[in-house]
Each structure stands twice: as structure tokens, then as C-alpha cells.
Amino acid sequence: MKVARTVDKGWRWYLESDEPDASGRWDEDHRRRVLSYIYDRDGGRCGLCAAEMKKTGAHIEHVVPKVFVFFDIHKGKAMDGPRFKSRLHKLDNLQAAHTYCNKRKGNTPQVSRWRHQNMPPLPAAEGDDGREFVVPWKPS
């Protein structure tokens, strides 16, 4: 188990070390490796609807949309909690998704729609107070 965690940690470091270019794209080989990792991590299911999917038609989708690099989960209300910073292109902020689901989600500010409640939780952002923002999000 310890060896598997160490190998996974090294693989994650390798996949996260290559940032996308200015247009937000990885080269094709790296994109395929990232998709393979997140597809396997999520058990071959769409992160938005939790239905099974094929890897060939999957999109790499940001859990916390790219427009919300900094965000407050109480949008429109007074800030009564920490401000969060997205982990943008880190693996914990990426999920595989159907094309339709990815387009339907878009850049919605509704955090309950960012990841399906039946999917494994991901720490997709970090708060000013050091806490992690984990999705699927459950209001406290």
C-alpha cells in the first residue's frame, strides 16, 4: 500500500508538472495521460452525472471553473467564510466528463453542480484560513 501511494504521488507530480500553454491546452500526449489518470481515478464515470462513459469521448473538465480562480461559496452574500483559491490545473480540480455534461455545466456559480454527489470527494481549492474546499460540496 505504501509503495502504491508513493508511485501515485510521483505520477501525480509528473502529470501536474506540465502546465497547459497560454491557450489552456496541453500537448496531445500529455492530455491523453492526464485524461487516462483522472478517468481511472473516477472509475470510468462522468464527474458531473456519475454515469459510465468511454474514455475516447471524454473531456477533461475543471471541477471549479477556470473563471473562479478565487471564489466565495456564498456568492451574492456577505463573506462569512474564507475566500477560496482554485487549484486550477492540478489533478484534484480535474475530472472526466461527457461532452454534453461539460457544456451544460459551463461556468455555473452553483457549487452543487460542480461534481456529482456520488463521485469520490476531491479537494479542489484551498481557503484563506488553510481549510480545503472539497467537492461534492455539502453545506454545513
Side-chain angles (χ1 to χ4, degrees):
M1 195 65 175
K2 186 175 181 180
V3 172
R5 278 195 306 267
T6 303
V7 169
D8 184 62
K9 187 176 179 182
W11 188 234
R12 287 175 63 91
W13 175 86
Y14 168 72
L15 292 174
E16 291 178 345
S17 66
D18 188 15
E19 286 285 322
D21 62 18
S23 66
R25 303 198 184 281
W26 286 288
D27 69 69
E28 193 55 36
D29 288 337
H30 192 76
R31 189 191 81 71
R32 205 172 13 261
R33 285 190 286 270
V34 169
L35 177 60
S36 182
Y37 181 89
I38 61 178
Y39 180 87
D40 293 341
R41 176 197 68 196
D42 291 345
R45 296 183 302 159
C46 173
L48 298 170
C49 71
E52 288 187 21
M53 60 187 297
K54 294 183 179 176
K55 193 184 306 185
T56 54
H59 278 222
I60 296 175
E61 202 271 327
H62 288 81
V63 177
V64 176
K66 289 183 271 189
V67 298
F68 296 109
V69 174
F70 291 98
F71 64 97
D72 173 16
I73 58 174
H74 303 289
K75 189 169 171 59
K77 299 179 184 172
M79 290 269 299
D80 58 354
R83 188 172 114 164
F84 292 96
K85 180 180 183 214
S86 167
R87 291 184 174 156
L88 202 54
H89 299 300
K90 301 297 183 196
L91 294 174
D92 288 337
N93 192 41
L94 300 175
Q95 61 188 346
H98 294 110
T99 305
Y100 171 77
C101 294
N102 188 8
K103 289 182 193 263
R104 191 181 67 184
K105 175 194 168 204
N107 291 327
T108 182
Q110 297 170 309
V111 296
S112 61
R113 294 184 59 199
W114 288 354
R115 187 155 170 91
H116 196 275
Q117 68 261 11
N118 292 339
M119 295 299 288
L122 295 174
E126 36 201 55
D128 288 344
D129 62 355
R131 290 186 304 160
E132 292 182 323
F133 176 72
V134 179
V135 286
W137 181 69
K138 294 174 180 64
S140 51

